[in-house]
Amino acid sequence: MDKTLNRFIADYLWSEKISDMPLWKRYLVHVARYAYVVLDDLAKGELTLRAMSLVYTTLLSLVPMLAVSFSVLKAFGMHNKQLEPIMLQFLAPMGEQGIEITAKIIGFIDNVKIGVLGTFGIALLFYTAISLIQKIETTFNYIWRLEEARSLGRRFADYGSVMLIGPLLVFSAIGLSASVLSGSVVKSASEHLPFVEVLISSLTAAAPYLMIIAAFTFFYMFIPNTRVTFRAGMIAGVVSGVLFQSLGWGFGSVVVSASDSGTYAIYSGFAIMILFMMWMYISWLILLVGSSVAFYVQHPEYVVPTRRSGDMNIDQQEELALQVMAVLGRRYYEGRRPMTAGEYVIRLRVQIQGVMRVIKSLTHAGLITPNGDDPPRYLPNAPLETVSLKQVVDAVRSEGGRLRVGFKVPRRKVPGVAEVSAHIDKVMADALGHITVKDLALSEDGSVSELLTGSNRPPVGEAGKAESAKTAE
């Protein structure tokens, strides 16, 4: 069993006594469970390791990415100096050092002349910029238990559009909000209605926080290669925004304020770079923690003290594959709408990673197929009247194939193993080869037991004949 952060706390948070508590206490325990699993993930060290990796990638890709992003602004008459307020806000916890770093980064961006780089230089600049977002996506996909990343074409299309159009939309929104708040209508209303003036001052003070929350929410909804609900992204954005402001205040009060006697005394001229890397690490860690929060909000089936990896043994995969095919078949024969992977999670009370693994196996075996919806819904890809349960089990067992190691000398067979394997296949074919997915999907209590025992065995169909012929061979 996986190790957990604290066994006593976990036993209390997931004890059966919670159901007897008042509603407000149950809600607090519910929130505490989310905090526990996120802290447990942090304690395991994978998130901190990936945050450090992103710091290194950021140092290499920050200037090219900003140069590509804000090159569009120059075409609309905007200068890189308009990037300065956003950079200063991000580096505010570093105090005066943040102002110096902001000036250097903007100076680097001003020195990047895209028009004189040439085709190869522009391509390299775009690749360096996109590689940072690709690294972020890989980390987010790990947190979201996703095995497939965006294709190369989708990366350039999605990331390129964000880098080129995103800054324009951000600055347009900032300019529009500023013009609205300083407009004549708002000014005249604030003169006659005192609460309007209070509201405007409150919105002006809250604008930086709202911008940070909106930026985090956008990251959580766009970067993972899956559909993230607005609720999950918004909750994670609020949590990350609060953490960013709180830890930023602590970093500026404790680390930066003590740098004259501490960091500067040790690193001298390199202290600014050390402080910048420390704050970058904290910022990336906050972003990854928020992504973990978004994942658990959208997939509460993972909010358990242990076993959050989604791994399943072969017996569990076989059982889940039969359940998926039975539910899919019943809905097909009843004329109901096919289900998505997320709906199978809710229906079968299992983790999304196990469902996706089984669906992938069944799809590769040609038993089911996704439709064109987003997210896709899964339909039968073969007549369920002829697909035997043995084929369903084989689809899971054969996924990935057997690893062949190339040696010059052929491997020696282990006596008896081939006979045992053949016997297992024969027994399974005799037991499941004559039962189809339709039989399982439309079965009632006890009917499948009769088919398994042979008391109500139907004539062997095409699937059963094929399995029997295969066994005889």
Side-chain angles (χ1 to χ4, degrees):
M1 180 167 294
D2 299 341
K3 292 183 179 179
T4 187
L5 187 64
N6 187 286
R7 174 60 58 186
F8 298 102
I9 296 178
D11 290 342
Y12 173 76
L13 292 178
W14 279 270
S15 64
E16 296 181 357
K17 298 179 180 178
I18 303 300
S19 58
D20 299 330
M21 291 183 176
L23 180 61
W24 66 273
K25 282 189 176 181
R26 292 203 304 269
Y27 179 78
L28 291 179
V29 171
H30 186 68
V31 174
R33 287 177 178 177
Y34 282 88
Y36 181 90
V37 294
V38 172
L39 292 175
D40 196 16
D41 287 347
L42 274 175
K44 287 180 170 61
E46 184 68 28
L47 292 183
T48 56
L49 183 64
R50 291 178 179 270
M52 287 187 284
S53 173
L54 286 170
V55 171
Y56 171 75
T57 308
T58 303
L59 293 177
L60 297 178
S61 308
L62 180 61
V63 172
M65 188 184 72
L66 293 177
V68 171
S69 299
F70 290 91
S71 61
V72 180
L73 297 179
K74 291 183 179 180
F76 287 87
M78 300 180 183
H79 193 262
N80 286 333
K81 285 293 182 181
Q82 293 173 301
L83 171 64
E84 188 172 358
I86 297 179
M87 291 293 299
L88 287 175
Q89 182 178 345
F90 173 72
L91 298 175
M94 297 187 62
E96 296 181 358
Q97 288 81 8
I99 299 175
E100 184 175 350
I101 292 175
T102 300
K104 290 184 179 297
I105 292 177
I106 292 178
F108 290 149
I109 297 174
D110 283 332
N111 292 330
V112 176
K113 307 298 181 182
I114 295 182
V116 299
L117 288 177
T119 304
F120 179 76
I122 294 175
L124 186 61
L125 192 69
F126 269 87
Y127 172 78
T128 307
I130 288 176
S131 64
L132 175 59
I133 307 181
Q134 179 183 349
K135 189 87 169 182
I136 301 172
E137 182 199 356
T138 303
T139 305
F140 274 37
N141 288 346
Y142 164 79
I143 295 174
W144 281 81
R145 280 73 168 173
L146 301 174
E147 298 180 358
E148 295 183 2
R150 285 178 173 89
S151 63
L152 185 62
R154 281 195 60 198
R155 288 175 187 171
F156 277 92
D158 294 348
Y159 300 162
S161 61
V162 169
M163 288 189 299
L164 296 177
I165 302 176
L168 182 63
L169 295 178
V170 170
F171 281 97
S172 299
I174 294 174
L176 181 62
S177 61
S179 62
V180 170
L181 293 177
S182 60
S184 58
V185 176
V186 176
K187 286 184 177 180
S188 60
S190 60
E191 293 176 357
H192 297 86
L193 302 173
F195 75 90
V196 175
E197 184 176 358
V198 175
L199 179 61
I200 293 175
S201 60
S202 301
L203 290 175
T204 304
Y209 302 93
L210 296 177
M211 286 179 56
I212 291 174
I213 292 174
F216 278 125
T217 303
F218 171 79
F219 261 92
Y220 298 140
M221 295 186 65
F222 175 79
I223 296 298
N225 190 28
T226 186
R227 172 175 287 184
V228 181
T229 62
F230 178 76
R231 174 177 174 269
M234 189 64 187
I235 292 176
V238 172
V239 172
S240 300
V242 173
L243 284 176
F244 186 84
Q245 293 295 332
S246 303
L247 295 180
W249 174 83
F251 184 83
S253 302
V254 178
V255 179
V256 177
S257 61
S259 60
D260 291 336
S261 59
T263 310
Y264 277 114
I266 300 175
Y267 295 103
S268 185
F270 292 99
I272 295 179
M273 179 59 66
I274 299 300
L275 291 174
F276 178 66
M277 293 176 65
M278 291 172 62
W279 178 238
M280 286 296 299
Y281 169 74
I282 294 174
S283 301
W284 280 124
L285 195 58
I286 292 172
L287 186 70
L288 299 187
V289 167
S291 180
S292 185
V293 171
F295 170 76
Y296 287 122
V297 170
Q298 186 161 326
H299 294 285
E301 68 272 11
Y302 281 85
V303 184
V304 290
T306 57
R307 303 289 184 184
R308 292 193 298 276
S309 62
D311 293 334
M312 304 178 71
N313 59 36
I314 189 63
D315 292 337
Q316 292 172 325
Q317 293 182 51
E318 292 174 359
E319 180 182 0
L320 182 57
L322 293 172
Q323 291 175 338
V324 168
M325 292 301 295
V327 173
L328 181 145
R330 179 175 286 273
R331 296 180 70 90
Y332 173 76
Y333 286 112
E334 293 177 352
R336 299 165 64 188
R337 190 180 188 186
M339 296 173 65
T340 65
E343 290 172 340
Y344 278 112
V345 170
I346 299 174
R347 171 65 176 82
L348 303 176
R349 297 293 190 270
V350 291
Q351 295 174 333
I352 184 65
Q353 194 171 4
V355 171
M356 291 304 301
R357 185 169 301 165
V358 166
I359 286 178
K360 181 180 178 181
S361 301
L362 297 174
T363 303
H364 287 174
L367 302 183
I368 65 175
T369 184
N371 64 4
D373 293 351
D374 185 22
R377 299 177 179 274
Y378 294 91
L379 302 165
N381 195 40
L384 301 183
E385 298 84 359
T386 61
V387 176
S388 68
L389 300 189
K390 175 68 162 51
Q391 292 176 271
V392 177
V393 173
D394 285 342
V396 174
R397 299 176 69 187
S398 62
E399 178 65 23
R402 181 178 296 177
L403 180 63
R404 299 290 185 182
V405 181
F407 289 112
K408 293 182 178 179
V409 181
R411 63 177 184 173
R412 297 174 58 187
K413 294 183 179 181
V414 180
V417 174
E419 290 79 0
V420 172
S421 298
H423 181 70
I424 293 175
D425 289 339
K426 182 179 183 303
V427 171
M428 187 174 295
D430 292 340
L432 302 179
H434 64 282
I435 306 177
T436 66
V437 173
K438 180 180 180 181
D439 297 330
L440 181 64
L442 302 181
S443 64
E444 303 296 337
D445 293 339
S447 59
V448 173
S449 298
E450 295 177 357
L451 291 175
L452 290 172
T453 57
S455 59
N456 192 21
R457 177 174 296 189
V460 178
E462 296 297 328
K465 292 179 180 179
E467 294 294 342
S468 300
K470 181 180 178 182
T471 304
E473 293 175 358

